[in-house]
Amino acid sequence: MKKILLVFGLILSVNYMSSQGCSDAGICSVNHSFQSDEKQFKNTLEFATIYSLGEADLVYFSPYISYTKRFNERFSFTSKVTFSTANGSFGTRSQFGDAFVIGNYTFKEKNKKQWSVLTGFKFPFTASNLKINGNSLPLDYQSSLGTIDLFLGTNLNYKRWDFNAALQLPIVNLNKNSYFKEYGGTDDFSSTNLFERKPDALVRATYSIKTVNKKFTFKPNVLFIYHLEEDSFENIFGQRENIKGSEGLTVNGNLITSYAFTKQSSVELSVATPFVVRDIRPDGLTRSFVLGLQYQYSF
């Protein structure tokens, strides 16, 4: 019991630390399909929401719903739809964000080691050019980055450890954002007119701890996310310009705590804080506070 109380104390302390979240155009959460413990059930529904604080005075409320179908002990398919409400000094904007489709294949366990691979896509519901009263908005207010992305990933499970790596590759750019900071009346946000985002690479290590009654599971993990090149935009002269400082490494510490009501249902709390961050994140994904809550039901 003392250990459980200690971990909950750590959760609360992390909640009040500054957090920059993940990349997160999706690469940080796509590995979730690697880590399902209830593989005896064929179907899983997840309902979740994320409350977070962004740049300047922005507040986000971002629910999503996810469905996983397990065809057999080797292959599963996951789909997810996201929604986002952003509220700040520019106003409030709500819109569906992205749809994810991910396939996962698990190889046979050998010498207590088990490999998994995944591949999938992310499809945007918007071209990242939502406006308020006809005024262009920075990417911080957008519900999607407006790109079709390819995911490639692999995971190694060894005893209580999971090590996974993933790539997120924008393959079709549908982004039509038209925000210029010169006309925005503030220096809080970067110009992102006709924004082009570069790929991300992720490496994560996760350690799982279960209580004796297996009701509580704690998953401390560390993520290394490298944005592989500098993003770019089209400036007011119609020339493409790289955004200096947008390439680079982010290192996040994350703690996931779940409680199983039954074998079929559970609730999960996730919090994170950064150790290393990129100089500039024009994609609007910077967060100063992140709290995620998820309910899962398998049948």
Side-chain angles (χ1 to χ4, degrees):
M1 179 59 70
K2 289 183 179 180
K3 291 182 178 180
I4 295 174
L5 293 175
L6 175 60
V7 174
F8 274 116
L10 288 172
I11 292 173
L12 292 175
S13 67
V14 171
N15 279 346
Y16 288 95
M17 296 172 70
S18 175
S19 173
Q20 200 159 347
C22 182
S23 63
D24 181 9
I27 195 171
C28 291
S29 57
V30 73
N31 80 308
H32 187 70
S33 61
F34 284 132
Q35 300 180 10
S36 175
D37 295 327
E38 301 301 338
K39 293 182 179 179
Q40 68 266 39
F41 296 105
K42 297 296 184 182
N43 306 278
T44 297
L45 282 171
E46 294 179 5
F47 305 90
T49 188
I50 300 171
Y51 172 80
S52 56
L53 304 177
E55 293 279 58
D57 59 350
L58 269 165
V59 177
Y60 298 93
F61 178 71
S62 307
Y64 71 81
I65 183 172
S66 174
Y67 170 71
T68 297
K69 173 67 176 180
R70 294 177 187 84
F71 297 95
N72 51 51
E73 64 178 5
R74 296 279 180 258
F75 179 69
S76 65
F77 171 85
T78 298
S79 59
K80 183 171 79 170
V81 173
T82 67
F83 187 88
S84 179
T85 295
N87 178 266
S89 58
F90 286 12
T92 301
R93 201 67 173 87
S94 300
Q95 177 66 37
F96 283 98
D98 299 288
F100 294 77
V101 288
I102 304 292
N104 179 280
Y105 184 82
T106 302
F107 295 94
K108 186 176 181 180
E109 182 178 346
K110 186 177 181 180
N111 298 325
K112 298 183 179 180
K113 298 176 183 177
Q114 190 168 44
W115 286 93
S116 301
V117 293
L118 67 75
T119 187
F121 296 91
K122 175 177 74 71
F123 301 94
F125 286 107
T126 81
S128 201
N129 196 29
L130 302 175
K131 299 180 179 181
I132 295 178
N133 298 325
N135 296 317
S136 298
L137 297 171
L139 292 180
D140 302 68
Y141 280 83
Q142 307 295 331
S143 60
S144 169
L145 293 175
T147 58
I148 299 175
D149 294 355
L150 169 67
F151 294 100
L152 299 170
T154 186
N155 182 82
L156 171 63
N157 175 260
Y158 178 68
K159 296 182 179 179
R160 295 184 178 182
W161 286 96
D162 279 279
F163 302 96
N164 56 71
L167 285 173
Q168 180 170 353
L169 307 171
I171 55 175
V172 179
N173 185 24
L174 304 174
N175 187 293
K176 302 298 182 183
N177 189 264
S178 56
Y179 178 78
F180 290 102
K181 68 178 181 180
E182 290 87 350
Y183 308 131
T186 177
D187 291 328
D188 290 334
F189 310 107
S190 300
S191 294
T192 48
N193 179 58
L194 299 179
F195 182 76
E196 290 188 2
R197 179 179 169 84
K198 298 302 182 180
D200 288 294
L202 174 145
V203 176
R204 181 199 304 252
T206 303
Y207 186 76
S208 297
I209 306 168
K210 288 191 176 184
T211 56
V212 176
N213 61 9
K214 297 185 178 181
K215 290 289 186 180
F216 283 96
T217 301
F218 307 105
K219 293 183 178 181
N221 57 96
V222 60
L223 303 82
F224 299 84
I225 311 106
Y226 198 90
H227 198 56
L228 297 178
E229 299 178 62
E230 291 180 339
D231 301 320
S232 66
F233 74 104
E234 191 173 292
N235 62 28
I236 58 176
F237 303 108
Q239 300 172 334
R240 180 127 315 254
E241 181 178 330
N242 287 350
I243 302 174
K244 303 299 181 182
S246 57
E247 176 187 357
L249 178 68
T250 299
V251 181
N252 287 336
N254 180 246
L255 178 60
I256 299 171
T257 301
S258 63
Y259 177 79
F261 299 107
T262 66
K263 288 185 177 181
Q264 291 180 271
S265 64
S266 64
V267 64
E268 180 179 284
L269 177 70
S270 177
V271 290
T273 190
F275 303 132
V276 178
V277 297
R278 285 187 283 145
D279 292 338
I280 297 177
R281 304 185 78 181
D283 42 31
L285 301 174
T286 298
R287 301 292 182 265
S288 59
F289 173 85
V290 179
L291 175 64
L293 186 64
Q294 171 200 293
Y295 174 74
Q296 176 176 294
Y297 180 75
S298 299
F299 57 98

